[in-house]
C-alpha cells in the first residue's frame, strides 16, 4: 500500500498505524519528527503532478483542509481519494478507524483505543468557562459553529462565545472580541502562530491561554495527550 496524505493529522495517524505505507505528505506534516517522505506542497496548494508521479494507491484528504478542485484533479488523474469529515471528537475516532483500515492496518491500533479512553474518562463539565478562540489575524477570525476544536473545548468545560455564529470561522473586529469579555482567550499556535507577544498584547486585561494547535485541532495520536495538555494551559491562564 502506497499512501499520500494531504492532512497533517492523518499523516501522524498513518505513520503510527501502518509504518512504511506513507510515501508523500504536505510541507505542514511535522509529526512524527524526522518524517522522511516526498513533500508535495501545502494543504491548500498541493503539487498534483508530484502526487501523481508517486503512483499512490490512496490519497488522504479532508473536506475542510483541502480544496475541491485539487481533489477533483487527483481523481481525474485516476487516483483513489478518501475524504474525511471531522467536526467533533466522536466523529474523529470513527474517521480515524476508517482511514487506518483503508491504509492496510491489520487491526485497530492501540493508540486509537488509548485516545478514546482518554476522552471517555473526562468528568462532566461543571461551570462553563466562556472563551473566544482566534485562529487568524489581519483580519481577526475566530472559531464559530460546528468545528472540531470547538467540540474539543466544550468537552473540557469551555463554551465558545461564537459557537452559535452562522459562520464556522467568522471575521470579528478585535474590539468586539474584547467587548465580549470572555473568561479566557484561547490562542493556538496554528494555523496562525500566536505568541506570548502578539496574542496577550492584543487582549490586554483578559486572561489568555496559549495552547498547542496540534492538541486543539489535530485528530490522531495527539488526541491521547490533548485533554491533559489543554486543561493545564487553561488552568494556568486563569490563575
Amino acid at each position: 500500500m502506497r499512501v499520500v496524505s494531504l492532512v497533517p493529522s492523518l499523516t501522524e495517524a498513518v505513520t503510527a498505524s501502518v509504518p512504511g505505507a506513507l510515501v508523500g505528505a504536505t510541507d505542514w506534516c511535522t509529526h512524527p519528527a524526522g518524517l522522511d517522505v516526498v513533500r508535495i506542497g501545502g494543504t491548500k496548494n498541493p503539487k498534483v503532478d508530484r502526487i501523481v508521479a508517486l503512483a499512490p494507491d490512496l490519497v488522504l484528504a479532508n473536506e475542510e483542509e483541502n480544496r475541491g478542485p485539487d481533489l477533483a484533479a487527483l481523481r481525474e488523474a485516476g487516483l483513489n481519494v478518501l475524504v474525511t469529515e471531522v467536526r467533533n471528537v466522536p466523529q474523529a475516532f470513527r474517521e480515524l478507524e476508517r482511514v487506518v483500515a483503508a491504509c492496510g492496518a491489520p487491526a485497530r491500533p492501540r493508540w486509537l483505543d488509548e485516545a478514546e479512553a482518554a476522552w471517555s474518562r473526562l468528568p462532566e463539565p461543571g461551570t462553563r468557562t466562556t472563551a473566544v478562540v482566534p485562529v487568524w489575524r489581519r483580519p481577526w477570525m475566530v472559531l464559530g459553529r460546528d468545528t472540531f476544536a470547538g467540540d474539543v473545548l466544550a468537552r473540557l468545560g469551555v463554551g465558545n462565545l461564537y459557537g452559535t455564529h452562522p459562520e464556522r470561522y467568522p471575521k470579528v473586529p478585535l474590539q468586539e472580541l474584547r467587548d465580549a469579555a470572555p473568561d479566557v482567550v484561547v490562542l493556538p499556535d496554528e494555523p496562525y502562530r500566536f505568541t506570548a507577544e502578539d496574542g496577550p498584547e492584543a487582549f490586554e486585561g483578559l486572561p489568555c491561554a496559549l495552547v498547542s494547535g496540534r492538541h486543539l485541532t489535530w485528530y490522531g495520536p495527539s488526541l491521547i495527550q490533548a485533554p491533559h495538555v489543554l486543561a493545564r494551559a487553561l488552568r494556568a491562564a486563569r490563575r
Side-chain angles (χ1 to χ4, degrees):
M1 173 68 73
R2 293 170 60 83
V3 179
V4 168
S5 172
L6 305 183
V7 186
S9 297
L10 299 181
T11 296
E12 184 181 33
V14 171
T15 53
S17 308
V18 196
L22 201 71
V23 296
T26 74
D27 300 342
W28 299 104
C29 294
T30 56
H31 290 269
L35 179 65
D36 184 18
V37 296
V38 175
R39 299 295 175 161
I40 49 79
T43 57
K44 306 296 185 188
N45 57 345
K47 294 178 170 58
V48 172
D49 56 345
R50 189 174 296 177
I51 297 170
V52 172
L54 288 170
D57 300 297
L58 184 64
V59 178
L60 302 176
N62 175 264
E63 50 89 30
E64 180 176 15
E65 292 199 51
N66 308 119
R67 302 185 316 131
D70 295 321
L71 303 185
L74 291 168
R75 290 191 176 103
E76 288 169 7
L79 299 183
N80 183 20
V81 181
L82 187 160
V83 181
T84 57
E85 178 182 298
V86 178
R87 303 290 180 90
N88 56 55
V89 173
Q91 189 178 32
F93 293 133
R94 292 193 298 271
E95 289 288 67
L96 286 165
E97 187 166 14
R98 181 168 75 104
V99 164
V100 297
C103 292
R108 180 182 167 93
R110 181 176 176 180
W111 67 260
L112 189 51
D113 291 332
E114 292 175 356
E116 283 205 78
W119 285 91
S120 68
R121 288 193 297 264
L122 289 179
E124 283 295 319
T127 303
R128 288 266 170 189
T129 297
T130 61
V132 296
V133 191
V135 293
W136 203 256
R137 56 185 297 170
R138 305 186 190 95
W140 285 89
M141 298 174 67
V142 298
L143 287 185
R145 64 170 181 83
D146 193 25
T147 66
F148 173 73
D151 186 61
V152 164
L153 291 172
R155 291 168 188 274
L156 295 172
V158 178
N160 177 11
L161 290 179
Y162 288 88
T164 58
H165 195 281
E167 298 177 25
R168 296 185 66 220
Y169 298 97
K171 298 176 183 177
V172 183
L174 177 59
Q175 190 58 52
E176 180 180 325
L177 297 178
R178 290 172 173 157
D179 292 344
D183 295 325
V184 64
V185 180
V186 179
L187 298 166
D189 61 10
E190 61 178 64
Y192 180 88
R193 185 171 291 279
F194 285 101
T195 67
E197 290 74 35
D198 68 355
E201 182 180 88
F203 294 94
E204 186 176 0
L206 292 173
C208 291
L210 290 163
V211 303
S212 160
R214 178 167 165 255
H215 289 104
L216 179 63
T217 65
W218 287 34
Y219 38 91
S222 56
L223 281 168
I224 298 171
Q225 294 297 325
H228 171 70
V229 171
L230 294 172
R232 183 175 57 192
L234 291 165
R235 285 196 302 269
R238 301 201 63 201
R239 284 175 183 160

